[in-house]
Amino acid sequence: MTTGEMVATVFKYGGISAAAVVGLYAALLGLLSTPTFQVHVVYLHKIQMTWFKDLDVPESFGFMRNQVTPFFLESSDGEKLYAWHILPIELYRKHEVTLLEEHVDFISDITSRHAFKLLRDDPDARLILHFHGAAGTVGSGYRVPNYRALSAGQPGKIHVLTFDYRGFGKSTGTPSEEGILLDAHAVIDWAMNTAGIPSNRILVFAQSMGTAVSVAISNHLARSSPPVVFAGTVLVAPFVDAATLASSYRLAGTIPLLSPIAKIPLLFTYLQRFMRDKWSTKDRIAQYIRANEANAEKYRMTLIHAEDDYDVPWDHTTTLFWHAVNATTPVGISYDELEEKKSETKKDLGAAGTVMEWHTEYGTIREEILKTGLHDVIMGNPVITMAVMRIFQALDPSFTCQVD
Ligand SMILES: *[C@@H]1O[C@H](CO)[C@@H](O)[C@H](O)[C@H]1NC(C)=O
């Protein structure tokens, strides 16, 4: 049934008049334009999804005793951000005896913990900074299998740091684009200065809303002086910008709430204007690539999206890939020209989807369109482990778990 037919059926059997529907729709748009409502709809931060579990007891999320260290870090404007430092399993196994002996009470000084020292004192350790999507906490949904997939390629070396943005879970404050960027800053500052991990041993992983955060902060750092560029970035289910996402959003995966608006340019401009937080990844990804090309900084960016993602349609990724690739060319490349090149060079992996890589002297931009994986299940899949290992090995080919 098409949307049109569905609406017709509702009219026919539901006894709702067209005028009432239009009225309701207008009311919805009016509501959507209020800042408070927007904050809740965009970030969904009050939806925790882990109501009956205590985040301070990571064992209840499936971790070993003291495999995870919960702690707070602080943003420059004074918000307390709740974070988890997660040890990879082989490292945990090696140090199990010592880790089991440590008490499990919530600590105020993470630097006193054995797990923290395993990160800070290993010159070979890698750290993944994790930027989760909207709603929930560090412990929600597919995020836990996601952490396992991230370190599975080298479970003796790859640590994960994950955190809740302001207003999410146990973190203080209210989310906003500006505020969340301060949060991202605080996390990077912790990684580089408290844990002392240099940027070439740090990888940024982000999903959904987190992709907008991570691209924004990476762009900011790449354009700072001196520039800071991480080993690489893996983006899962990214979106072009908040307005485009809102207009392609489907309620319960089926009803395209705002798409009638997106088709009328004047109304779309209005939608863009009333969205307080713009999250323009398409512009920031291009700026980030341009900065790295200009500064001769090495970069690796992988974009992954599943065709059956109902929350964020996968054409957001093809658009972002185009903006990124376009930024590597002096004269630009049109979307259709790039699609033409893609059809010649992309790898067709059958049921696993397609892969396209774009190389320059300094960087690699990789687009993986999977056939399946939905919006979040994908995060716990081997494709994530491979994306991480591909990036770390590009920098250091000896970085393997050496199973012969
Ligand atoms: C593509 O790159 C060209 C040249 O730098 C630029 O003028 C153009 O605005 C870019 N297009 C997009 C869609 O970013």
Side-chain angles (χ1 to χ4, degrees):
M1 197 163 16
T2 68
T3 315
E5 283 163 351
M6 232 160 71
V7 171
T9 315
V10 169
F11 284 155
K12 204 162 151 198
Y13 300 104
I16 309 171
S17 75
V21 170
V22 170
L24 275 174
Y25 194 61
L28 176 79
L29 294 186
L31 190 62
L32 210 55
S33 64
T34 67
T36 324
F37 190 72
Q38 265 185 38
V39 166
H40 285 269
V41 167
V42 172
Y43 301 105
L44 304 169
H45 56 291
K46 287 297 169 203
I47 303 175
Q48 286 211 20
M49 305 189 295
T50 39
W51 307 106
F52 304 110
K53 288 186 190 174
D54 184 353
L55 290 171
D56 289 341
V57 186
E59 290 89 333
S60 64
F61 293 86
F63 293 101
M64 304 298 291
R65 179 184 159 98
N66 283 332
Q67 187 186 358
V68 173
T69 316
F71 69 106
F72 279 103
L73 41 89
E74 199 170 315
S75 70
S76 60
D77 63 340
E79 300 296 355
K80 288 178 73 190
L81 307 171
Y82 186 79
W84 275 1
H85 167 217
I86 306 167
L87 286 180
I89 196 61
E90 169 58 10
L91 187 64
Y92 180 87
R93 191 197 60 77
K94 273 193 194 141
H95 297 271
E96 187 184 15
V97 175
T98 322
L99 288 163
L100 286 181
E101 274 166 12
E102 262 185 322
H103 61 90
V104 290
D105 304 333
F106 191 85
I107 38 94
S108 54
D109 177 20
I110 188 175
T111 63
S112 67
R113 298 296 279 193
H114 191 61
F116 175 80
K117 290 172 192 158
L118 291 174
L119 169 65
R120 184 191 59 194
D121 300 342
D122 178 3
D124 237 10
R126 303 296 195 275
L127 179 61
I128 295 184
L129 300 180
H130 187 274
F131 295 83
H132 71 59
T137 65
V138 289
S140 309
Y142 288 90
R143 288 169 196 166
V144 172
N146 182 205
Y147 305 143
R148 284 197 284 265
L150 289 171
S151 57
Q154 213 329 354
K157 295 288 175 193
I158 305 175
H159 300 242
V160 175
L161 181 76
T162 182
F163 71 105
D164 285 328
Y165 313 104
R166 60 186 59 200
F168 286 69
K170 289 172 185 269
S171 296
T172 61
T174 310
S176 68
E177 181 160 4
E178 217 179 322
I180 288 180
L181 290 182
L182 293 180
D183 301 346
H185 250 292
V187 167
I188 287 162
D189 183 58
W190 183 91
M192 298 188 70
N193 300 317
T194 306
I197 313 295
S199 54
N200 64 356
R201 287 197 275 125
I202 295 176
L203 182 147
V204 167
F205 174 91
Q207 186 242 3
S208 199
M209 193 199 89
T211 62
V213 182
S214 74
V215 170
I217 197 70
S218 299
N219 178 36
H220 175 83
L221 293 172
R223 299 198 298 157
S224 303
S225 116
V228 174
V229 181
F230 299 113
T233 307
V234 177
L235 306 178
V236 172
F239 56 94
V240 168
D241 58 32
T244 313
L245 179 63
S247 65
S248 59
Y249 179 77
R250 285 161 181 272
L251 189 68
T254 42
I255 305 162
L257 218 49
L258 294 176
S259 70
I261 290 189
K263 298 214 168 60
I264 305 166
L266 199 68
L267 282 179
F268 187 67
T269 309
Y270 170 71
L271 177 72
Q272 277 175 317
R273 198 166 321 132
F274 86 57
M275 299 287 295
R276 187 195 66 179
D277 295 345
K278 314 241 177 282
W279 292 116
S280 185
T281 299
K282 70 173 181 351
D283 296 331
R284 287 168 168 160
I285 208 168
Q287 286 173 351
Y288 169 79
I289 301 284
R290 281 212 173 86
N292 290 339
E293 291 285 335
N295 298 335
E297 290 281 345
K298 295 254 190 278
Y299 63 93
R300 284 155 214 86
M301 168 83 69
T302 300
L303 299 96
I304 301 176
H305 219 128
E307 284 181 18
D308 61 357
D309 186 331
Y310 300 114
D311 297 87
V312 180
W314 63 281
D315 62 350
H316 280 265
T317 279
T318 52
T319 305
L320 286 175
F321 181 71
W322 167 52
H323 278 269
V325 167
N326 182 66
T328 67
T329 65
V331 287
I333 179 168
S334 77
Y335 187 87
D336 291 338
E337 275 170 339
L338 180 57
E339 284 299 306
E340 181 82 27
K341 277 200 202 302
K342 248 191 226 179
S343 64
E344 291 159 13
T345 55
K346 76 176 172 193
K347 266 187 249 158
D348 186 345
L349 307 178
T354 60
V355 175
M356 168 77 185
E357 272 194 5
W358 184 269
H359 298 275
T360 74
E361 191 182 344
Y362 306 110
T364 301
I365 310 166
R366 185 179 162 100
E367 179 196 71
E368 298 190 30
I369 305 297
L370 309 189
K371 292 283 177 211
T372 52
L374 300 172
H375 185 56
D376 41 17
V377 176
I378 189 173
M379 292 195 289
N381 288 353
V383 66
I384 301 302
T385 309
M386 289 296 290
V388 167
M389 291 307 283
R390 198 172 282 115
I391 286 173
F392 280 140
Q393 287 190 327
L395 264 108
D396 176 3
S398 72
F399 189 73
T400 65
C401 68
Q402 309 189 332
V403 192
D404 290 304

